[in-house]
Amino acid sequence: MRHTRTGWWLEEAGAVTPTAPLDGDARADVVVVGGGYLGLWTAWQLKELEPGLDVLVLEAAVCGHGPSGRNGGFCETLWGDATTLREQAGDSAALAVCRASENAVRGIGAWCETQGVDAWFREAPMLRVATTESQLGSWAESVRAAAELGAPEEIVAVSAEEVRARCASPLFLGGALHRLNATVHPARLGLGLRAKLLERGVRIHERTEVTRLDRDGGVGTRSGHVRAGAVVLAVNTAAAGFPGYRLSLAVASSHIVLTEPLPDVLDELGWTGGEAIVDSRTLVHYTRTTRDGRIVFGWGGGTMGVGGRASSRLELDRGVVAATREALGRFFPQTRGHEVTHAWGGPIDVSPSHLPIFGSRGRVHHGYGFTGNGVGPSFLGGEILARLALDRRDKWTRLALVDPPRRLFPPEPLRYAGGALIRRALVAKDAAEDEGREPNAPTRFVASLPRRLGLHLPR
Ligand SMILES: Cc1cc2nc3c(=O)[nH]c(=O)nc-3n(C[C@H](O)[C@H](O)[C@H](O)COP(=O)(O)OP(=O)(O)OC[C@H]3O[C@@H](n4cnc5c(N)ncnc54)[C@H](O)[C@@H]3O)c2cc1C
């Protein structure tokens, strides 16, 4: 098994030659900081809205090599957050966000089609399953929320037989079907976007870390300065390193193991419809197939970052990868004789509400907090941030994801200590439930704290 920082998707997509770092000072109409999906979709939307605009992207490493190039490739809507959205903003605002997130999933598919980017986009429903008795019915609130918003078809409860007809894991006891979902090849999508932006005349400087944001529209790097009409901050967990954003998000992590191609196993499981599958634990497992017949299997139970920053060792956590691999064998015993070829991981930007947050402070426009669901929603984020940067107000900038009521995480060292304690309790709770035991009272109490604080942990 090759355990690397960046994973198999980027290997499969092939190497790119980094563009030249920024050398000295520059000017642009809009400077985008961060070349993951969010920054790149924002740059794309800016050119859609104003083709003549001078857009500059500054990326600390290489575009698409962060989490955008190594995630699970679940391209989801925000229907799973409908309950939170209703509580936060009311029914019509919740419905508007959910519908906009559907357009984002379809928009990514349409973009790949029209641009000729083969990012393995495949539309198929997502299954939320129960793998223990205690998880059964955990989707009831989401099913009710969709129905009460007038869209009962979006999330539908299904029996164990219906789940197993789509994927016959012995662990699956029932579930809910999310109608609209897709899977993508994350790295091909990120690098495809990078290539199309370069073709379109967007200037991209890689290996260029932004170290300072000025509210009047400038940014500083180690060796230069860019003056611009607007700045877009799209740096995922690194946002917590900029003044004013430190307590706005927390850092968790997610890890993936990948099997060799095993089409016979997929046939035996009857798992040939391309469904993405997630269980209903707090620290979720998620799994999907690839075009070449592999199983991608992930766990959102890795360690948290320190000081609001992702630890540089987080991707290489062998203990977390071993636990992920063990879970793969429980879900799909048929994989046991087969090789796990790759493992990797990455940081997750956790927002207090589980929902991404977009907004503006002066001429700096930000997006962060995807909480493990950024592939689909980052397209919508690009539509929003492009408009904020151009000072256009319309149905996108009025969505409830823009400037929501401000909620903060506790400061360090409380955040790290509390995060580590809560993670331990969540791991213990999930393990007890996997074994059919009731977690003890202190574990239950500590594990319930995120929810009491309105924090939903990610994959
Ligand atoms: C293992 C794993 C599995 C996941 N699975 C899924 C999934 O299945 N579905 C899903 O929807 N989401 C998933 N996610 C989350 C998803 O990958 C992210 O939400 C999404 O990629 C966020 O995009 P982004 O542009 O905000 O961030 P990134 O992709 O992290 O891009 C930010 C970029 O900013 C750059 N940067 C940082 N600091 C600076 C600076 N100071 N100056 C310049 N550049 C800077 C970074 O180098 C990086 O390239 C997963 C994440 C991980 C780690």
Side-chain angles (χ1 to χ4, degrees), residues 3-70:
H3 184 174
T4 58
R5 258 177 217 290
T6 50
W8 177 74
W9 299 114
L10 280 157
E11 265 176 52
E12 199 289 329
V16 292
T17 307
T19 57
L22 179 71
D23 185 17
D25 295 345
R27 277 178 175 275
D29 294 324
V30 181
V31 61
V32 175
V33 184
Y37 296 141
L38 182 62
L40 299 178
W41 283 127
T42 304
W44 182 265
Q45 293 297 339
L46 283 165
K47 293 298 268 185
E48 288 290 283
L49 292 170
E50 287 195 21
L53 206 70
D54 182 14
V55 181
L56 179 68
V57 176
L58 300 180
E59 160 57 46
V62 178
C63 292
H65 279 57
S68 293
R70 49 174 128 137

Side-chain angles (χ1 to χ4, degrees), residues 33 38 213 233-251 307-310 349 357 361 366-369 415:
V33 184
L38 182 62
L213 302 176
L233 183 66
V235 293
N236 197 343
T237 52
F242 288 95
Y245 293 96
R246 225 175 286 282
L247 305 180
S248 306
L249 63 152
V251 180
R309 281 176 181 272
D349 52 341
I357 293 168
R361 293 189 198 161
H366 55 253
Y368 56 81
R415 175 164 45 168

Side-chain angles (χ1 to χ4, degrees), residues 75-371:
C75 183
E76 290 177 49
T77 67
L78 290 168
W79 271 107
D81 292 296
T83 306
T84 312
L85 281 162
R86 292 175 87 191
E87 283 163 16
Q88 196 170 289
D91 281 7
S92 71
L95 186 61
V97 169
C98 291
R99 292 297 189 213
S101 73
E102 287 177 38
N103 287 336
V105 172
R106 290 194 204 95
I108 292 171
W111 183 87
C112 291
E113 182 82 36
T114 52
Q115 297 302 317
V117 170
D118 183 8
W120 298 9
F121 182 90
R122 181 175 185 187
E123 211 179 295
M126 182 176 81
L127 274 172
R128 173 170 293 279
V129 299
T131 57
T132 61
E133 294 286 331
S134 57
Q135 292 172 20
L136 277 169
S138 55
W139 43 82
E141 270 186 17
S142 303
V143 171
R144 192 169 54 244
E148 289 178 3
L149 290 176
E153 67 288 355
E154 296 302 336
I155 310 181
V156 179
V158 285
S159 66
E161 292 67 39
E162 287 168 288
V163 172
R164 289 191 190 163
R166 290 177 180 270
C167 178
S169 163
L171 287 192
F172 295 170
L173 305 176
L177 200 68
H178 289 233
R179 182 185 64 85
L180 180 64
N181 194 73
T183 52
V184 295
H185 182 313
R188 283 173 173 242
L189 180 60
L191 296 181
L193 252 168
R194 173 186 185 272
K196 293 292 164 185
L197 286 170
L198 287 169
E199 263 174 36
R200 222 171 160 175
V202 170
R203 287 180 292 149
I204 300 180
H205 291 291
E206 296 178 322
R207 296 168 294 165
T208 304
E209 183 184 0
V210 168
T211 51
R212 199 184 72 242
L213 302 176
D214 303 334
R215 293 217 171 169
D216 67 354
V219 304
T221 70
R222 294 196 195 290
S223 59
H225 183 261
V226 179
R227 176 154 294 286
V231 177
V232 172
L233 183 66
V235 293
N236 197 343
T237 52
F242 288 95
Y245 293 96
R246 225 175 286 282
L247 305 180
S248 306
L249 63 152
V251 180
S253 69
S254 200
H255 290 74
I256 289 177
V257 295
L258 178 82
T259 69
E260 64 179 334
L262 30 70
D264 294 349
V265 169
L266 299 185
D267 282 345
E268 194 183 328
L269 290 165
W271 192 12
T272 51
E275 295 87 350
I277 301 175
V278 60
D279 71 8
S280 307
R281 294 164 127 229
T282 317
L283 300 176
V284 296
H285 294 117
Y286 52 100
T287 185
R288 54 162 288 190
T289 55
T290 62
R291 184 187 277 180
D292 62 347
R294 299 167 188 263
I295 294 178
V296 174
F297 190 93
W299 181 41
T303 48
M304 317 278 176
V306 186
R309 281 176 181 272
S311 144
S312 58
R313 293 186 312 276
L314 171 153
E315 289 96 340
L316 300 176
D317 189 327
R318 288 209 209 147
V320 173
V321 163
T324 311
R325 196 172 174 166
E326 187 273 325
L328 164 72
R330 282 192 292 113
F331 271 60
F332 307 117
Q334 302 88 333
T335 60
R336 284 201 177 120
H338 289 270
E339 199 186 339
V340 170
T341 58
H342 294 76
W344 67 93
I348 299 277
D349 52 341
V350 178
S351 92
S353 62
H354 196 259
L355 286 160
I357 293 168
F358 305 100
S360 306
R361 293 189 198 161
R363 291 200 209 170
V364 178
H365 311 280
H366 55 253
Y368 56 81
F370 289 108
T371 321

